[in-house]
Amino acid sequence: MAAHGWAFSRAEANRALNEGIRPLDKLATTRILAQQARADETLGLARRGEASDIEASFSRASEAVAENLSALQGDDRISSGRDEINAAIAAHDGWRQAHDRMAVLYSAGDHIGASRIAVGGGEFDSTAQFAALDDALSEGIVATRAEVRTAIFRTRNALVFAAGGVIALSVIAGLAVAGGVWPRLREYQ
């Protein structure tokens, strides 16, 4: 009984790690990288002369976002947050397309057109696509955080029941020892 409780507890702890904590960490890191890339994107428009350095920084952060999302999508151990990960991938692709359109206009000298794509309110503009990405990542973080809480709660319950089983077995063992020693003690009287 106690061994079963410990085994169940260990399984739930591993589940919390694989299905909750690791994806939660990767989603939070991905969200930070996306925000850095968005800052680089808008900063690149404000600093016209330094666009190549900022574009390189945006590209690195955006590639890291794509790699993290791809790794999360390919991880079979993750069960919660799958829809959010897929939505984030789609939004990131849309954001990259908007950014590419913006970069073409910027390279051609159309700073106003590039600015409209970067901060415009259109459905396919960078702002809307980034917002969709950020929302999907935020929802994925909430889903994996809930998974972590559930697995930790199950682990705690398993440990509580395992401790009760250990106490019960200890009492039974103590009674058995006392029952076995009593006849031997009576022999010496």
Side-chain angles (χ1 to χ4, degrees):
M1 176 161 76
H4 178 68
W6 292 110
F8 182 74
S9 170
R10 182 177 174 97
E12 284 299 320
N14 284 335
R15 180 173 171 225
L17 180 65
N18 292 327
E19 294 184 24
I21 294 171
R22 286 185 181 138
L24 178 62
D25 177 51
K26 192 157 294 264
L27 284 168
T29 300
T30 302
R31 189 171 185 210
I32 291 167
L33 287 168
Q35 291 169 349
Q36 288 172 344
R38 177 66 176 155
D40 287 339
E41 181 179 54
T42 55
L43 187 61
L45 291 172
R47 294 183 171 178
R48 294 183 181 184
E50 303 171 26
S52 62
D53 293 339
I54 293 172
E55 179 64 28
S57 178
F58 170 85
S59 294
R60 280 192 302 274
S62 183
E63 283 302 313
V65 167
E67 289 171 9
N68 285 351
L69 290 173
S70 179
L72 285 167
Q73 186 181 40
D75 193 342
D76 294 335
R77 297 174 297 184
I78 299 172
S79 60
S80 63
R82 283 250 174 237
D83 293 338
E84 292 82 0
I85 292 168
N86 291 333
I89 289 171
H92 182 258
D93 291 343
W95 182 31
R96 283 298 305 204
Q97 291 170 4
H99 181 79
D100 291 345
R101 287 192 340 263
M102 182 198 75
V104 166
L105 291 176
Y106 187 83
S107 297
D110 185 0
H111 299 291
I112 293 173
S115 296
R116 283 188 186 130
I117 291 173
V119 295
E123 180 182 350
F124 299 106
D125 287 343
S126 188
T127 300
Q129 294 298 317
F130 173 77
L133 171 62
D134 193 56
D135 289 346
L137 290 171
S138 179
E139 290 168 13
I141 289 169
V142 168
T144 55
R145 191 179 302 144
E147 181 64 35
V148 169
R149 274 193 228 112
T150 300
I152 289 172
F153 179 74
R154 287 181 184 158
T155 301
R156 183 188 65 87
N157 284 344
L159 287 173
V160 167
F161 289 120
V166 168
I167 290 170
L169 288 175
S170 297
V171 169
I172 291 170
L175 292 173
V177 167
V181 170
W182 182 251
R184 299 294 170 239
L185 290 176
R186 287 184 49 174
E187 288 178 7
Y188 291 111
Q189 287 183 358

